[in-house]
Amino acid sequence: TKRREAKLCQYNLELNKKIYVDFATGLHNKNKCEEMLAVPGPLKQPTACFMFDLNDLKVVNDTQGHEMGDMMIYSFANLLRQVVPCQYFIGRFGGDEFIMIAEGISGKREIKSLLEDVEELIQFYNKNNKEFQLSYSAGYAYSEDHKGVTMAELLHMADEDMYDNKKAFKAKRPHK
């Protein structure tokens, strides 16, 4: 019966959404991120992996409450969604970590442009938001710099780059 098939199809769509969507942000969730990273073998086209990590989420959670921390996460996810072209993958990888996978990216100029666009939108957001300021650390890795890498290896390199940038961010801060 067509009605039963339609209901089953709708149920499958809803189930798929629950499996792959992070409800706090509307982005792809950890399950979908892991699936993207599990692709075996070397990458076949130029790909850039980006890792973003919010700075000071714990401070906001501890001083302004978890609702405000959740708002930070949602706001950052929303800003990424505004900047990142729809053909690229964006996901919430963990609590305050986000990944972007840009398969078929045109090169380092586009990588730099994407990072500049994120920073520009964050600065605009911070100028107009009085509740909290968004701050993040980012890292990336480009497959053309590391021939023969897998998606998981590329993301691991982006993660290391992000942590180097996070350490540099923390080192610039005045000690309390």
Side-chain angles (χ1 to χ4, degrees):
T1 73
K2 289 206 183 263
R3 185 179 165 111
R4 189 167 162 213
E5 285 177 19
K7 275 188 168 185
L8 186 58
C9 186
Q10 182 62 33
Y11 175 75
N12 284 339
L13 286 172
E14 288 171 19
L15 191 58
N16 196 40
K17 190 174 182 182
K18 286 179 181 178
I19 293 170
Y20 291 123
V21 175
D22 175 61
F23 289 107
T25 63
L27 296 177
H28 296 291
N29 66 12
K30 177 88 171 182
N31 290 336
K32 187 64 178 174
C33 293
E34 293 290 347
E35 190 175 285
M36 292 291 292
L37 298 173
V39 176
L43 295 167
K44 293 178 178 32
Q45 60 180 325
T47 301
C49 281
F50 300 79
M51 179 66 84
F52 299 94
D53 186 85
L54 289 175
N55 295 324
D56 299 327
L57 180 64
K58 183 176 176 0
V59 173
V60 169
N61 280 337
D62 291 349
T63 60
Q64 294 178 269
H66 287 274
E67 276 186 27
M68 195 62 69
D70 290 347
M71 194 64 195
M72 268 181 85
I73 290 168
Y74 174 79
S75 297
F76 187 74
N78 193 39
L79 294 172
L80 280 180
R81 197 178 1 259
Q82 290 177 48
V83 169
V84 176
C86 61
Q87 72 266 26
Y88 296 151
F89 176 90
I90 315 169
R92 183 174 177 199
F93 196 63
D96 62 349
E97 289 187 334
F98 300 84
I99 65 170
M100 179 176 61
I101 299 172
E103 292 181 279
I105 195 161
S106 61
K108 287 203 177 177
R109 182 173 287 159
E110 186 180 354
I111 291 169
K112 299 277 190 228
S113 177
L114 278 168
L115 290 169
E116 287 167 4
D117 290 348
V118 170
E119 182 58 25
E120 200 174 287
L121 194 55
I122 294 290
Q123 286 179 13
F124 178 79
Y125 178 88
N126 284 340
K127 233 185 273 184
N128 295 295
N129 184 22
K130 302 300 176 224
E131 293 181 289
F132 56 81
Q133 298 290 288
L134 286 175
S135 173
Y136 66 96
S137 296
Y140 78 91
Y142 183 43
S143 64
E144 300 304 289
D145 293 336
H146 310 280
K147 290 290 187 185
V149 294
T150 65
M151 190 73 80
E153 290 168 336
L154 197 63
L155 185 71
H156 179 73
M157 288 181 238
D159 192 42
E160 286 180 347
D161 187 43
M162 183 273 298
Y163 273 106
D164 288 344
N165 291 328
K166 193 163 194 84
K167 282 182 208 160
F169 168 80
K170 287 180 177 181
K172 288 182 198 171
R173 290 186 139 179
H175 290 57
K176 294 180 181 176

